[in-house]
Amino acid sequence: MKNLIVGQSGGPTAVINSSLYGVVSEALGHSDAIGKVYGMVNGIEGFLEGNVLDFREALPGDKLEGLKFTPGAYLGSCRYKLPDSLEDPVFPQLFQKFEEMEIGYFFYIGGNDSMDTVSKLSRYAEKIGSDIIVMGEPKTIDNDLTLTDHTPGFGSAARYVASTVREIVLDASVYETKSVTIVEIMGRHAGWLTAASVLARRFEGDNPLLVYLPEAAFEEEVFLKQVEQALEKNCNVVVCVSEGIRDGKGTFICEYDRSVGTDRFGHKMLAGCGKYLENLIRDRFGIKARSVELNVSQRCSASMMSETDQKEAVLAGQFGVQAALKGETGKMVSYVRESNDPYRISCGLEDVNDICNQEKTVPAEWITNDGSDLSDAFTAYARPLVQGKVDVPLGEDGLPAFVWRK
Amino acid sequence: MKNLIVGQSGGPTAVINSSLYGVVSEALGHSDAIGKVYGMVNGIEGFLEGNVLDFREALPGDKLEGLKFTPGAYLGSCRYKLPDSLEDPVFPQLFQKFEEMEIGYFFYIGGNDSMDTVSKLSRYAEKIGSDIIVMGEPKTIDNDLTLTDHTPGFGSAARYVASTVREIVLDASVYETKSVTIVEIMGRHAGWLTAASVLARRFEGDNPLLVYLPEAAFEEEVFLKQVEQALEKNCNVVVCVSEGIRDGKGTFICEYDRSVGTDRFGHKMLAGCGKYLENLIRDRFGIKARSVELNVSQRCSASMMSETDQKEAVLAGQFGVQAALKGETGKMVSYVRESNDPYRISCGLEDVNDICNQEKTVPAEWITNDGSDLSDAFTAYARPLVQGKVDVPLGEDGLPAFVWRK
């Protein structure tokens, strides 16, 4: 009987451990077909150093449940990319380790780069005639993987963005002084997460009044004009921007400042685009301006986890194991949207070679003509993904009780 | 029968509307003694412009309950400070408006500056022999009001800080590369909120390993030595700092950078101390460093509201009205801690003149000798204040349902 090993790679999300829970719990449930259930610590990089754990020992019994409420990456992560050439000695090295540990099933949870690892391992397995099953589980808050309706991790990050922006809008509205608040949201190439800020609106004409994604060219003068118009009707204007907004020439707005600002060590200042736009507005309009960078909480907030996202992540993990047991390999688990109202998805399988190193951006037709808002089609797409809140168990200290490797 | 009016002032908190709920619901319950229950929109400044609402119309029936779950300031706020001289014409102007609206009870919810307003109005009332009752309700995330065990708003902000730092620690621990994460927390003069980050620790020796408050002089070389020592034993070090840390000469660390950095408009760059320390560490140790500014979510996060804080804020509001009906005036409602285990408080009244324009900082004996940690006495003090989570009602869109002025 062969063993299963699972790893996590790339940046963490609120539900990457829910996917892990899905894989591990499903594998443990097939004790007739799967022997040991291993985790590689710090991804393929840690695996190469022999850093593995046995889930039956690490999280026995009910302790496994804790994964569903724990953000971050329980197994640790890495940014290691396998070499492009399948002739590289790392491949036989890896497969020898697989053989030593009697691995029959290799699962990797991650984004684009991780799917590249899945692709290479499955191609190498085919090349040498190994019957090892290699399966990818999607994960990214950026929602930029192709061939899947959305990605595990996006719904929770989107819920965090929408709820937090709604709170910031309240916070920004308490004074009667004209003000502009810039909220900088993660997403260097794809604006999905920034787009989710429109879900924060409570009524027609509510903040955030302006939303800018990397998918549309950001022109300073057009932006200032739009802010000016928004200020005519509203005392407090909230603007949401992706960290990766860029101008028509492709220059990132966050790089504008670097050309001038230096810290006292002589380094260029890496102020974000939010800070830059804050200064720009203060300079142009002479009004109160501030910027808020939502930062890492977008990907690690347990309290804002979307129940839909969490459940789907578990489902994707389970589905992957079931597919592996049917002999599927070189695939990534995908979500297929079957219906919007009522919202319903099923899991599917896609060839990982068609996914890795690709990027799915927000469709141009979902961005309104003036480049500062999203259409209703986006809202209809995104709304179901942020539904439901998760009751995170509290520890004796009254704070969220997470699980971690000792 | 006289009417009651209540206002909010200064920066918002997660529970300033819970205090408002306490005042309004209690006042409405005394319809035999109190006529109309008014709210002044945008504090005393809005009141001077005649901007008031009637709570029976604005939030009829069950709608009032929504205040308990809504961060920000429902009534709007202001930063207006009454003139020091009671001879100023604004005082008779205000009292004439009180008379016109038949105000018998004036409630103001706020921090130091708001208590200054309460002090002046009550002294002016005494001076002219007016029988108007003037009462202060405490509010500040900074916990820096004297003569009260703690302040409404602190517990929720502290819960936000502790939970979020715990999540950031998980996020910071996924890679096996040495790294330092600086978390910058609100508090320019008092370090209470930064101190609350120690509640994030899950076990002895857990992150955050270093915590720096404005109350202890921050010396760069000592700090670097402490970081170096922490890195010897830990791969990923999380450091929490108050925005207001300063060196032995009293210079704010966040002002170090300003002397050099300029943006392209020629303005000095206002980088926070977190950004400064991030650069300092990268420069000195050549390792991965990043900084996270927790920003406004500290004071407006509904999802992290502390149930204890919320309930006490309501209680303080109710208690103030009860005291006012007994004829008390010129007072601020305070919390008196009766027992730590089990945690129990009662409400008291303090002369507002002894509170306004004072500042309560973290006691020196609660800061450890090397200035980078808190003693168990602080934990025993703070732990009860962050207990319990609040189930914020969700709207039809699945996101927190808040109330707001139309």
Side-chain angles (χ1 to χ4, degrees):
Chain A
M1 200 157 56
K2 287 298 180 73
N3 303 320
L4 180 146
I5 192 160
V6 55
Q8 296 172 308
S9 180
T13 78
V15 303
I16 184 171
N17 290 328
S18 292
S19 298
L20 181 64
Y21 172 85
V23 170
V24 174
S25 62
E26 186 73 16
L28 291 173
H30 291 277
S31 54
D32 52 327
I34 298 170
K36 297 214 178 242
V37 180
Y38 292 118
M40 52 190 115
V41 175
N42 292 115
I44 196 106
E45 200 171 10
F47 178 73
L48 278 165
E49 292 162 9
N51 205 351
V52 296
L53 58 78
D54 182 327
F55 272 101
R56 285 191 179 85
E57 290 160 16
L59 290 173
D62 279 355
K63 289 211 169 149
L64 195 68
E65 300 290 318
L67 286 176
K68 287 189 286 184
F69 309 102
T70 301
Y74 173 79
L75 287 171
S77 184
C78 71
R79 291 248 181 231
Y80 182 80
K81 201 166 174 177
L82 283 171
D84 283 334
S85 166
L86 297 183
E87 305 297 327
D88 194 279
V90 76
F91 290 101
Q93 198 185 333
L94 276 166
F95 275 71
Q96 195 190 325
K97 276 188 185 287
F98 291 154
E99 204 165 312
E100 283 164 19
M101 293 183 70
E102 298 181 59
I103 303 295
Y105 309 93
F106 177 98
F107 275 73
Y108 218 41
I109 310 172
N112 279 321
D113 290 346
S114 312
M115 293 313 130
D116 180 76
T117 297
V118 173
S119 160
K120 284 166 181 163
L121 290 180
S122 62
R123 283 188 282 128
Y124 185 80
E126 194 182 347
K127 186 183 155 196
I128 64 166
S130 161
D131 59 359
I132 194 168
I133 299 280
V134 187
M135 190 67 74
E137 290 284 349
K139 175 269 349 171
T140 171
I141 61 165
D142 292 329
N143 200 36
D144 61 353
L145 293 181
T146 56
L147 300 181
T148 181
D149 180 74
H150 57 281
T151 59
F154 173 64
S156 294
R159 186 174 174 86
Y160 180 86
V161 166
S163 304
T164 306
V165 167
R166 182 172 283 185
E167 291 169 347
I168 290 172
V169 167
L170 287 182
D171 188 88
S173 311
V174 303
Y175 296 115
E176 270 207 309
T177 323
K178 275 209 182 295
S179 74
V180 175
T181 302
I182 313 281
V183 183
E184 184 184 324
I185 296 168
M186 281 180 168
R188 197 136 170 96
H189 301 289
W192 294 103
L193 213 45
T194 304
S197 67
V198 304
L199 302 177
R201 293 181 187 141
R202 297 158 295 172
F203 49 85
E204 177 121 9
D206 190 19
N207 273 306
L209 290 165
L210 300 166
V211 178
Y212 301 96
L213 316 186
E215 284 86 348
F218 183 91
E219 301 304 344
E220 216 165 276
E221 288 307 320
V222 175
F223 164 71
L224 287 166
K225 193 79 205 158
Q226 288 169 337
V227 169
E228 196 173 16
Q229 283 165 353
L231 281 165
E232 278 165 19
K233 281 191 281 186
N234 304 272
C235 182
N236 310 109
V237 172
V238 176
V239 181
C240 291
V241 296
S242 288
E243 56 177 333
I245 49 168
R246 64 202 81 168
D247 62 24
K249 290 176 193 149
T251 306
F252 286 110
I253 306 306
C254 63
E255 284 174 352
Y256 282 6
D257 247 344
R258 293 186 199 177
S259 55
V260 183
T262 44
D263 64 22
R264 68 168 199 160
F265 310 110
H267 302 143
K268 287 183 177 169
M269 294 284 283
L270 295 162
C273 64
K275 198 76 185 161
Y276 174 79
L277 296 177
E278 171 195 329
N279 290 338
L280 178 69
I281 284 169
R282 202 181 294 114
D283 188 68
R284 183 65 68 100
F285 300 119
I287 61 170
K288 187 179 155 191
R290 62 175 184 173
S291 58
V292 181
E293 193 187 336
L294 292 192
N295 220 309
V296 295
S297 289
Q298 289 165 89
R299 68 178 184 218
C300 67
S301 167
S303 68
M304 286 291 186
M305 217 181 270
S306 147
E307 189 189 21
T308 301
D309 188 27
Q310 189 214 40
K311 288 190 166 165
E312 290 178 351
V314 173
L315 191 70
Q318 295 168 330
F319 185 85
V321 172
Q322 292 157 11
L325 287 173
K326 288 177 193 154
E328 296 278 1
T329 186
K331 301 281 165 63
M332 185 191 83
V333 176
S334 66
Y335 293 149
V336 182
R337 192 176 299 218
E338 301 194 329
S339 152
N340 236 351
D341 189 17
Y343 170 72
R344 203 170 53 235
I345 62 145
S346 61
C347 285
L349 293 172
E350 296 292 338
D351 187 335
V352 77
N353 297 300
D354 298 337
I355 292 166
C356 60
N357 308 315
Q358 303 286 321
E359 215 166 42
K360 187 177 73 178
T361 52
V362 178
E365 63 269 26
W366 285 4
I367 302 171
T368 55
N369 287 339
D370 65 357
S372 68
D373 204 348
L374 278 296
S375 72
D376 290 345
F378 171 79
T379 311
Y381 165 82
R383 181 84 70 200
L385 312 182
V386 304
Q387 296 302 305
K389 63 181 165 189
V390 174
D391 201 24
V392 179
L394 301 182
E396 277 178 21
D397 63 2
L399 296 175
F402 300 139
V403 293
W404 63 90
R405 281 177 291 119
K406 295 292 187 301
Chain B
M1 200 158 54
K2 288 296 179 77
N3 303 320
L4 180 146
I5 192 161
V6 55
Q8 296 172 309
S9 181
T13 77
V15 303
I16 185 170
N17 290 329
S18 292
S19 298
L20 181 64
Y21 172 84
V23 170
V24 175
S25 62
E26 186 72 17
L28 292 173
H30 291 276
S31 52
D32 53 327
I34 298 170
K36 298 217 177 236
V37 181
Y38 292 118
M40 53 191 114
V41 175
N42 292 115
I44 195 105
E45 201 171 8
F47 178 73
L48 277 165
E49 292 163 11
N51 204 350
V52 296
L53 58 80
D54 182 328
F55 272 101
R56 284 190 180 86
E57 290 160 15
L59 290 172
D62 280 355
K63 290 211 170 149
L64 194 67
E65 300 289 318
L67 285 176
K68 287 190 285 184
F69 309 103
T70 301
Y74 172 79
L75 287 171
S77 184
C78 71
R79 293 245 179 235
Y80 181 81
K81 203 167 173 175
L82 283 170
D84 283 334
S85 167
L86 297 184
E87 306 297 326
D88 193 280
V90 76
F91 289 102
Q93 197 186 334
L94 276 166
F95 275 71
Q96 195 192 323
K97 278 191 183 287
F98 292 153
E99 205 165 311
E100 283 164 17
M101 293 183 68
E102 299 182 61
I103 303 295
Y105 309 94
F106 177 97
F107 276 72
Y108 218 41
I109 310 172
N112 280 320
D113 289 346
S114 312
M115 292 313 130
D116 180 77
T117 297
V118 173
S119 161
K120 284 165 182 163
L121 290 180
S122 64
R123 284 188 282 127
Y124 186 81
E126 195 182 348
K127 188 183 155 197
I128 63 165
S130 160
D131 60 359
I132 193 168
I133 300 279
V134 187
M135 190 66 74
E137 291 284 349
K139 175 272 345 174
T140 169
I141 61 164
D142 292 329
N143 199 37
D144 61 351
L145 293 181
T146 58
L147 300 181
T148 181
D149 180 74
H150 58 279
T151 58
F154 173 65
S156 294
R159 186 174 174 85
Y160 180 86
V161 166
S163 304
T164 305
V165 168
R166 181 171 284 184
E167 291 169 345
I168 290 173
V169 167
L170 286 183
D171 187 89
S173 310
V174 304
Y175 295 115
E176 269 207 309
T177 323
K178 274 208 182 296
S179 74
V180 175
T181 302
I182 313 282
V183 184
E184 185 184 323
I185 296 166
M186 281 178 167
R188 196 136 171 99
H189 301 290
W192 293 104
L193 212 45
T194 304
S197 67
V198 304
L199 303 177
R201 293 181 187 142
R202 296 158 296 171
F203 49 85
E204 177 120 10
D206 190 19
N207 273 306
L209 290 165
L210 299 166
V211 178
Y212 301 97
L213 317 186
E215 284 86 348
F218 184 90
E219 300 303 344
E220 216 164 276
E221 289 306 321
V222 175
F223 164 70
L224 287 166
K225 191 81 205 156
Q226 288 168 338
V227 169
E228 196 173 17
Q229 284 166 352
L231 281 166
E232 278 164 18
K233 282 191 281 186
N234 305 272
C235 181
N236 310 109
V237 172
V238 176
V239 180
C240 291
V241 297
S242 288
E243 57 176 331
I245 50 168
R246 61 202 82 166
D247 62 25
K249 290 175 191 148
T251 307
F252 286 110
I253 306 305
C254 64
E255 283 174 353
Y256 282 7
D257 248 344
R258 294 187 199 177
S259 54
V260 182
T262 42
D263 64 23
R264 69 168 197 161
F265 311 110
H267 301 145
K268 288 183 177 171
M269 293 283 282
L270 295 161
C273 64
K275 199 75 185 161
Y276 174 80
L277 296 177
E278 171 196 329
N279 290 340
L280 179 67
I281 284 170
R282 202 181 294 117
D283 188 68
R284 184 65 70 98
F285 300 119
I287 61 172
K288 188 180 154 191
R290 60 174 185 175
S291 58
V292 181
E293 193 186 337
L294 292 193
N295 221 310
V296 295
S297 289
Q298 289 167 87
R299 66 179 185 218
C300 66
S301 167
S303 67
M304 286 293 187
M305 216 182 269
S306 147
E307 188 189 22
T308 302
D309 188 27
Q310 189 214 40
K311 287 190 166 163
E312 290 177 354
V314 173
L315 191 70
Q318 294 167 332
F319 185 86
V321 173
Q322 291 156 12
L325 287 173
K326 288 176 192 152
E328 297 279 1
T329 186
K331 300 283 166 62
M332 184 192 83
V333 177
S334 67
Y335 293 149
V336 181
R337 191 177 300 216
E338 300 194 329
S339 153
N340 235 349
D341 189 19
Y343 170 72
R344 203 169 52 235
I345 64 145
S346 61
C347 286
L349 293 172
E350 297 290 338
D351 187 334
V352 77
N353 296 299
D354 298 336
I355 292 166
C356 59
N357 308 315
Q358 303 285 320
E359 213 165 44
K360 187 176 74 178
T361 52
V362 178
E365 63 269 26
W366 285 4
I367 302 171
T368 55
N369 287 337
D370 65 357
S372 67
D373 204 350
L374 279 296
S375 72
D376 290 345
F378 171 78
T379 311
Y381 165 82
R383 181 84 70 200
L385 312 182
V386 304
Q387 297 302 304
K389 63 181 165 189
V390 173
D391 201 23
V392 179
L394 302 181
E396 276 178 23
D397 63 2
L399 296 176
F402 300 139
V403 292
W404 63 91
R405 282 178 289 118
K406 296 292 188 300

